[in-house]
Amino acid sequence: MPYENQQNQPSPSPPPAYTEGTPGAMESELYIDGTLYVDGVPIGQNEKQKRLGKQNQTVENQCKKALGFVRKLWATQQTERIDRKKHKNRYVQTTIRELIVYMAFLTILSIVVFGMVSTNMLVLTQALQNVFINPRLFDPSSNKSGPSFQTLDRMDDFWRYMTDIAAVGFYTEQWYNKENISDTGYILHENRLLSVVQMRQKKVRNNSCVVADDFKEEIRFCYNSYAPVYEDKLTFGLCENLDPENCSSTAFKYTPSTSWFGLSTTGEVSVYDQGGFIELFGLTKETFLEEIQKLKDNLWITRGTRAILVDFTIYNANLNLFCQVQLIFEFPAVGGLITSSIFRTVKLIRYVHTFDYFVLGCEILFILFILYYTIEEVLEIRYCKLSYFKSVMNCLDIVIIMLSYVCIAFNIYRQVQVDSLLGALLENDQHHYSDFTFLCYWQHEFNIISSITIFLAWIKVFKYISFNKTMTQLSETLAKCARDISGFAIMFFIIFFAYAQLGYLTFGVQVESFRALQYSIYTLFLIILGIFDFQSLQQAHRVLGPLFFLTYVFFVFFVLLNMFLAIINDTYIEVKAELRNKKNEFEISDFVKRGYAKMRERLTVKRDRIADIRKALSLADLNRDKILEFDEWRLEMKSRGYAEEEIETIFAKYDFNGDRILDENEQRALRNDLLRQNDAVLREIDQLNLSNNIVPKDEQCTSGDPRRKASTAPGKCLPANEVSMEEYQDLAKRLDSMEASVGVVLTKIDNVSSKLDTYEKVKGNNGKDKKHNRTSDAAIDSRENYEFSDPIHLSNKRDFNSDQSTA
């Protein structure tokens, strides 16, 4: 049937609703001849479009809510572009939220960083140093103690050290009662020696340097300082004139570095790679001494020897720590012996104990935080464009995130490498050296990067507390005096580097602290701090030494340093004066008090609501039959302003049998529940008062308790428009200055009046009455103008008029 004919006919009876409900708002819908019926009511095309529009709007609103929630997660002061003056509360909430989130991040980062190190690392390092570094050699000829590892200075001392100290340290084979130890291979009974001890030599070839023409006939051997281009790789000693393939002793043939992860070793004189003439020692002390004696007898150390490096690694299972040790003996081109050592104590196996797995959880949270802050910085860069990089704190954010990604990448790589390489390094071949140099070195560097990251992260806290004027004093002072310090720095470093070069060129040959230009710079900085060795300078030159020291102290310490402090001090005073009258953008205490007041108000409203429901429960039973019907309950609650839904919810909760009537037991359950809720609210209010230890001002000043009023100290209950002492003093100073200015004006007016009186008297004595009268009238008018502007002199005006009339 056409739609037009349907309009003229009577409306058909509403179709029955669907018995099978469809979800949502589409229940009881039916199409008949193209017309939509909802619950039996026909819906036109316009209404259909409105309905679909509302559904689309609902979906759009839900999407906006989701996007708004996501945006709030990364809402910052820069992305929201909050006006601090117009939207102060919003700015406060955003700042506090950023601070709380960042403090959580800083806590996680601290746990991660400190979970990688412990004080036991230093204890293990010191224990090994007491075995290999601190002991002294014994001189049997003089029956006295000789040099220690740091003071070895001759080639013979090296062999004595290896037999008397190193052999005893490497092999602990007996107990203190001289009984043999069944389980060997430990240092100090607790530190497992991984595989064997390796000793390698770095040599330079003969004629690696140029001899002066005057000495060529007498000096036929010349060995330069170590450098890779001068390194000697030929066989010698037991393998002299033999090919490396035919030489069975690795100590006398060159072995190139085969490690893919080999690192160079830095000594006091030069830097050495992983290759060299290598000797692997046995597993017992006796074997070790025999091999040392064999090397000594065959002149393993020659004139071309420039360095001997002793490498070994230990593992302490009690502490789960590795320690890779390098003892470096350098034979410089000038002769003698220079020693140094490297101890790298690290934790390579990370996850063993329960706390280690807790650190693992914190590491996962740290990764999530870094992803969170990465998105935040990307959003800030998107909103702020290039102006983002004008802020130092924003650049600091970028640096922290980049360092964090480096730490995350290395941590994952380190874990994979340890799992894959540890088994190969700890293989069963007892005569194979396990090289832990790569893992220990990079773990040590990773700890350094982590320490720099957490250092910068703590500095970033200033970004979130800059709302307080006290916290901005440092940044404001440095910003204001930057130009003055820059100019002063140029003048300072001109004089400083001039003295550094003078000290190096004059005393570098005799004084160790001036042996190089960089050490000369360090020494001069130490002199500024009060650390110096005046006797060495005096012994180097009895005239130039004291003169150099005194002039440097005078110009740098007494003049330049005090100029620097004066610049900082003057700027700090200026900044402090500016900040004295400047108010904080917001006070944390005020925000906490407002939050406390809101919480207290919320609890008070809840308490009043419970009391109101209890009162309604007692008054709703109008016929006093001890049975509360729903109509009685609804009527009483409706009169108190409660909504239908809330009335129904409360009643249905305690109508256990569903008869729409509350009997005595059900009413008793409702009363008991309300009583428990009231007690809980009162306890929360008491805890809130104790935790904040403050009483609202309205209770302090309006309470009717005379004892509370009597105990309140004077000045506590002030009106809402009270002023602080600083503001009062500022107003008093302004009032004093205004009174002084008014006094000066009144003094000038008195001087003008006296001069006019004198002038009138002179004119009267000359007998010029007519002119005198005109002048008198002008003087009167002039005086009246001044007097009318100054009410204080009204009495003088009346005296002046009386004098004129008398004249």
Side-chain angles (χ1 to χ4, degrees):
M1 181 184 295
Y3 180 76
E4 292 81 358
N5 296 333
Q6 290 183 10
Q7 298 293 330
N8 298 326
Q9 293 184 0
S11 300
S13 60
Y18 283 130
T19 56
E20 296 179 0
T22 56
M26 302 300 291
E27 294 183 357
S28 302
E29 294 183 357
L30 180 65
Y31 280 93
I32 299 177
D33 294 334
T35 303
L36 175 65
Y37 291 87
V38 178
D39 294 332
V41 179
I43 304 298
Q45 190 67 23
N46 293 334
E47 295 181 359
K48 179 180 177 181
Q49 293 179 356
K50 291 180 180 180
R51 185 182 181 90
L52 294 176
K54 290 181 179 180
Q55 293 178 0
N56 295 333
Q57 186 176 4
T58 302
V59 175
E60 185 178 355
N61 291 336
Q62 293 177 353
C63 294
K64 287 183 178 180
K65 289 181 180 179
L67 293 176
F69 174 75
V70 173
R71 181 178 179 180
K72 286 181 180 179
L73 290 177
W74 286 276
T76 63
Q77 301 174 16
Q78 294 178 338
T79 58
E80 297 299 312
R81 298 181 180 178
I82 302 173
D83 190 344
R84 301 183 181 183
K85 296 181 179 179
K86 295 182 180 179
H87 307 90
K88 189 173 183 180
N89 291 333
R90 187 180 173 191
Y91 169 72
V92 171
Q93 293 175 359
T94 304
T95 302
I96 292 180
R97 185 192 64 82
E98 285 188 82
L99 179 59
I100 292 174
V101 173
Y102 187 76
M103 293 307 297
F105 164 73
L106 195 58
T107 302
I108 295 297
L109 178 59
S110 301
I111 294 174
V112 170
V113 173
F114 285 97
M116 297 183 300
V117 296
S118 67
T119 56
N120 292 325
M121 291 182 174
L122 177 60
V123 175
L124 179 58
T125 300
Q126 290 177 341
L128 295 176
Q129 288 178 345
N130 291 332
V131 174
F132 297 100
I133 304 299
N134 298 333
R136 292 180 172 273
L137 296 174
F138 181 75
D139 188 1
S141 60
S142 60
N143 200 22
K144 295 181 179 179
S145 60
S148 62
F149 175 82
Q150 296 95 332
T151 56
L152 300 178
D153 56 2
R154 295 185 301 170
M155 192 178 296
D156 295 340
D157 293 340
F158 167 78
W159 297 110
R160 292 174 57 197
Y161 173 85
M162 295 300 293
T163 56
D164 296 349
I165 296 179
V168 178
F170 288 138
Y171 305 98
T172 304
E173 298 180 346
Q174 288 184 341
W175 289 102
Y176 48 84
N177 61 355
K178 304 302 181 181
E179 291 185 3
N180 293 331
I181 296 176
S182 58
D183 192 5
T184 59
Y186 284 86
I187 298 176
L188 294 177
H189 303 286
E190 300 293 342
N191 306 291
R192 178 68 180 180
L193 184 63
L194 301 181
S195 67
V196 296
V197 179
Q198 173 184 273
M199 183 171 67
R200 57 191 175 94
Q201 178 184 181
K202 305 295 290 183
K203 296 179 61 178
V204 294
R205 63 178 181 268
N206 185 20
N207 297 325
S208 56
C209 55
V210 179
V211 181
D213 295 336
D214 297 337
F215 293 94
K216 281 186 176 179
E217 296 182 358
E218 298 183 2
I219 299 177
R220 300 179 180 179
F221 302 97
C222 179
Y223 298 90
N224 206 340
S225 299
Y226 177 81
V229 294
Y230 303 138
E231 187 171 3
D232 186 6
K233 300 181 180 180
L234 300 176
T235 56
F236 71 102
L238 296 177
C239 299
E240 190 173 4
N241 300 325
L242 295 177
D243 294 333
E245 296 81 4
N246 299 326
C247 180
S248 59
S249 178
T250 57
F252 294 94
K253 67 177 181 180
Y254 184 81
T255 303
S257 177
T258 57
S259 175
W260 287 30
F261 309 106
L263 298 172
S264 300
T265 302
T266 303
E268 295 290 333
V269 179
S270 186
V271 180
Y272 312 97
D273 58 26
Q274 296 296 310
F277 300 90
I278 298 175
E279 174 69 16
L280 300 178
F281 295 104
L283 300 177
T284 62
K285 181 179 179 181
E286 183 179 359
T287 306
F288 178 84
L289 293 175
E290 291 177 356
E291 293 172 347
I292 286 292
Q293 188 62 38
K294 179 181 177 181
L295 296 176
K296 183 178 180 181
D297 294 339
N298 290 279
L299 294 177
W300 189 62
I301 300 178
T302 63
R303 289 184 59 186
T305 301
R306 287 294 172 260
I308 296 177
L309 300 96
V310 180
D311 302 324
F312 64 95
T313 305
I314 63 98
Y315 173 69
N316 189 296
N318 303 330
L319 306 175
N320 187 29
L321 294 177
F322 289 81
C323 186
Q324 194 261 334
V325 183
Q326 286 185 320
L327 304 177
I328 306 172
F329 304 85
E330 295 180 274
F331 300 87
V334 297
L337 176 62
I338 299 175
T339 60
S340 59
S341 60
I342 299 175
F343 290 82
R344 297 191 183 101
T345 303
V346 294
K347 185 178 182 179
L348 294 179
I349 304 176
R350 291 290 305 278
Y351 312 113
V352 177
H353 305 290
T354 304
F355 179 74
D356 297 334
Y357 287 100
F358 171 71
V359 174
L360 175 61
C362 293
E363 290 176 352
I364 296 174
L365 293 177
F366 172 72
I367 295 174
L368 297 178
F369 267 111
I370 292 301
L371 294 176
Y372 170 83
Y373 279 114
T374 301
I375 297 174
E376 179 180 292
E377 298 307 317
V378 170
L379 293 176
E380 290 184 356
I381 293 174
R382 179 184 175 185
Y383 279 102
C384 302
K385 303 299 189 242
L386 294 178
S387 61
Y388 171 87
F389 298 97
K390 295 180 180 180
S391 173
V392 177
M393 288 299 176
N394 291 339
C395 297
L396 185 61
D397 292 339
I398 299 296
V399 173
I400 292 174
I401 291 175
M402 293 177 62
L403 290 177
S404 299
Y405 277 116
V406 171
C407 294
I408 293 171
F410 179 80
N411 197 21
I412 298 173
Y413 174 76
R414 185 276 319 278
Q415 188 65 29
V416 173
Q417 286 297 322
V418 168
D419 294 339
S420 61
L421 296 179
L422 197 58
L425 292 175
L426 298 177
E427 59 187 4
N428 295 326
D429 187 2
Q430 297 294 327
H431 295 282
H432 177 76
Y433 172 69
S434 300
D435 189 4
F436 284 81
T437 304
F438 172 79
L439 293 177
C440 294
Y441 173 80
W442 284 110
Q443 177 63 38
H444 185 263
E445 297 300 316
F446 171 73
N447 293 342
I448 294 176
I449 296 176
S450 301
S451 62
I452 294 175
T453 303
I454 194 172
F455 167 77
L456 297 178
W458 276 105
I459 297 299
K460 186 186 169 183
V461 176
F462 283 103
K463 175 181 179 180
Y464 300 105
I465 60 176
S466 59
F467 55 81
N468 189 286
K469 63 181 182 181
T470 304
M471 299 301 174
T472 59
Q473 289 184 1
L474 176 62
S475 58
E476 291 288 338
T477 302
L478 295 179
K480 280 185 173 291
C481 66
R483 180 175 298 179
D484 294 335
I485 290 180
S486 301
F488 168 80
I490 296 174
M491 177 177 58
F492 173 81
F493 283 111
I494 289 175
I495 298 177
F496 184 83
F497 283 114
Y499 270 98
Q501 296 179 25
L502 177 62
Y504 165 63
L505 297 174
T506 306
F507 310 107
V509 180
Q510 297 171 287
V511 183
E512 183 180 4
S513 56
F514 289 91
R515 63 184 182 273
L517 181 61
Q518 63 269 26
Y519 292 102
S520 178
I521 294 174
Y522 301 154
T523 303
L524 294 182
F525 271 116
L526 291 176
I527 292 177
I528 296 177
L529 299 177
I531 304 173
F532 53 86
D533 186 5
F534 178 75
Q535 294 181 352
S536 299
L537 292 174
Q538 191 176 25
Q539 292 175 0
H541 199 288
R542 61 191 185 92
V543 176
L544 291 180
L547 184 62
F548 172 85
F549 179 79
L550 294 176
T551 55
Y552 173 79
V553 169
F554 175 77
F555 285 108
V556 176
F557 187 80
F558 288 108
V559 178
L560 295 179
L561 185 60
N562 284 280
M563 288 177 61
F564 174 77
L565 296 177
I567 293 173
I568 297 292
N569 187 49
D570 292 345
T571 308
Y572 176 74
I573 293 174
E574 181 181 353
V575 170
K576 194 172 182 180
E578 292 178 357
L579 295 178
R580 182 180 294 113
N581 298 324
K582 180 181 178 182
K583 293 184 179 180
N584 291 325
E585 294 181 0
F586 68 87
E587 294 286 354
I588 291 292
S589 58
D590 295 341
F591 185 78
V592 173
K593 289 179 180 179
R594 287 198 298 269
Y596 164 78
K598 290 181 180 179
M599 180 63 71
R600 185 180 178 86
E601 182 180 358
R602 190 180 300 112
L603 292 174
T604 303
V605 171
K606 187 176 180 181
R607 181 189 61 186
D608 296 340
R609 179 177 176 274
I610 294 173
D612 192 34
I613 296 176
R614 292 174 65 187
K615 188 175 181 181
L617 181 62
S618 62
L619 299 177
D621 188 9
L622 299 177
N623 52 11
R624 303 299 178 184
D625 57 354
K626 299 183 179 180
I627 296 177
L628 182 61
E629 299 178 356
F630 178 74
D631 292 337
E632 295 176 336
W633 169 259
R634 180 179 177 277
L635 181 62
E636 182 64 27
M637 294 292 288
K638 198 71 176 177
S639 65
R640 297 178 181 273
Y642 289 89
E644 290 285 349
E645 183 179 357
E646 189 174 7
I647 296 172
E648 178 68 28
T649 301
I650 297 175
F651 190 89
K653 181 179 179 181
Y654 296 94
D655 185 12
F656 302 123
N657 51 15
D659 57 354
R660 309 294 285 178
I661 295 175
L662 296 182
D663 55 16
E664 293 185 7
N665 295 330
E666 292 171 341
Q667 294 181 43
R668 188 181 302 109
L670 178 55
R671 287 194 193 92
N672 294 336
D673 199 0
L674 292 174
L675 184 60
R676 285 193 297 270
Q677 293 181 17
N678 186 66
D679 294 339
V681 171
L682 292 177
R683 283 195 299 270
E684 290 184 12
I685 294 176
D686 293 338
Q687 292 176 358
L688 192 63
N689 290 335
L690 291 175
S691 61
N692 288 272
N693 196 22
I694 58 173
V695 179
K697 291 185 178 181
D698 55 349
E699 292 189 10
Q700 288 182 357
C701 302
T702 62
S703 176
D705 189 356
R707 292 176 297 176
R708 177 173 294 183
K709 290 184 178 180
S711 61
T712 304
K716 293 294 183 181
C717 297
L718 295 176
N721 57 350
E722 63 181 32
V723 296
S724 62
M725 183 59 67
E726 294 183 357
E727 294 176 343
Y728 173 76
Q729 292 177 354
D730 189 17
L731 292 174
K733 290 180 180 179
R734 293 183 180 181
L735 184 60
D736 293 339
S737 62
M738 291 175 63
E739 290 179 352
S741 301
V742 171
V744 172
V745 172
L746 294 177
T747 303
K748 291 182 177 180
I749 292 175
D750 292 337
N751 293 334
V752 171
S753 299
S754 61
K755 289 181 180 180
L756 287 174
D757 292 339
T758 305
Y759 181 74
E760 292 295 334
K761 291 180 180 180
V762 172
K763 289 294 184 179
N765 294 332
N766 291 334
K768 298 179 180 180
D769 296 336
K770 186 176 181 179
K771 189 175 181 180
H772 171 74
N773 292 332
R774 289 196 299 268
T775 305
S776 299
D777 294 338
I780 291 171
D781 294 338
S782 176
R783 187 174 181 85
E784 285 179 351
N785 291 333
Y786 282 104
E787 288 171 350
F788 288 147
S789 63
D790 184 12
I792 299 176
H793 294 79
L794 290 176
S795 60
N796 294 335
K797 179 180 180 301
R798 289 191 292 268
D799 297 338
F800 179 79
N801 292 333
S802 61
D803 293 339
Q804 289 293 331
S805 62
T806 304

